[in-house]
Amino acid sequence: FTKPRTIEKEKNETKNRMKSEAFLYMGLLAVQYGIQPILTKEFTSSDVERKSVVLVQEVVKFAMAGSMLLMSGGGKAAIQSWSVTSWISVALVPAGLYCIQNLSALLACQNLDAVTYNVLNQTKTLSAALCCYLVMGRKQSKMQIVALLLLLLSALVLERIVNLDFLLSASSEEEDASDKTVEVSSKHLTHGVAPVLLASFLSGLAGALSQKNLQGSNSRNSYFFTMELCMATTIMLVITSLTSSDSSSSPTNFEHWTPTTIIPILTNAAGGILVGLVTKHAGSVKKGFALIFGLLISGILQATLKSDDGLQKEHIIGGILASISLYLHGTNPYVAPPTTADAKKKKE
């Protein structure tokens, strides 16, 4: 009986180590996501050509992931199993989905007010859970679904879309609200609501496909997978640039760049690598939790650095809701109902 117990002990130690790594990567991703808007606003000029930033970011990310791959010692095994056909199926499809997602999100931004866009955009974590079920058959327990809805509420509180003063106050202006009528045009739906919901779904689908490639039977090294995504994104960027007649929108246009422009590019590239690590070790749904905590960190930093008011009640309540939702989601996993074979074994 010693050998089976030793094997079981080793399996438990591996699981605990993977959980520790997952939480470490989630924490680092939350910090990166939190500081990224501040760094971008501080060091990137609004006149900088976005395609040039994306191009340099993908090159930097490729180099960083390649260095990590070599240091981890997994380079030889990753390269031996690589082929063009596998790269197309594994990396090109998610990269294409992310590209369509960005275009849809941009269209929605141009046709929706900030509040509506942020509310609909926060459905990405729910989309990730749905797509993980559709792509991988990963089900959520009832309590995990409640946790995801609670996470959505925490994001809406942090974004101040849900008014806490209104919720906490006993009186409500129902009469004034009943007198207000909202006119919704067809363009609002087709060029605003539909694109942002499509972007949210594609984000979840691309995340689920990435998770399948990183956690499936033929799982890929996360660093190598990041490099493959960088290659696919760069090729798509070059193709779209060649088809564009506007020379000023070229990814090689480095006008308005300064030496400090590279700072947010480095942190964003590191964030891209962390996304791959979190997806591999924790899954795309848990990645959503990390991003919400990043939203909390960003709010706290901006309130501390840019505002005289300091920490707001939205940060406290939003953080508490996010923490509760993370705990509920992690401690209430889906348990498959016992099969007939399992029932027979128990009787025996």
Side-chain angles (χ1 to χ4, degrees), residues 75-95:
K76 189 176 180 181
I79 293 170
Q80 283 179 344
S81 60
W82 187 86
S83 66
V84 176
T85 52
S86 67
W87 170 72
I88 292 172
S89 61
V90 167
L92 202 60
V93 174

Side-chain angles (χ1 to χ4, degrees), residues 1-15 17:
F1 294 101
T2 307
K3 194 172 182 180
R5 285 180 180 176
T6 305
I7 294 170
E8 189 176 344
K9 186 180 179 182
E10 288 177 354
K11 284 183 178 178
N12 290 331
E13 288 177 354
T14 304
K15 283 183 180 179
R17 187 167 63 251

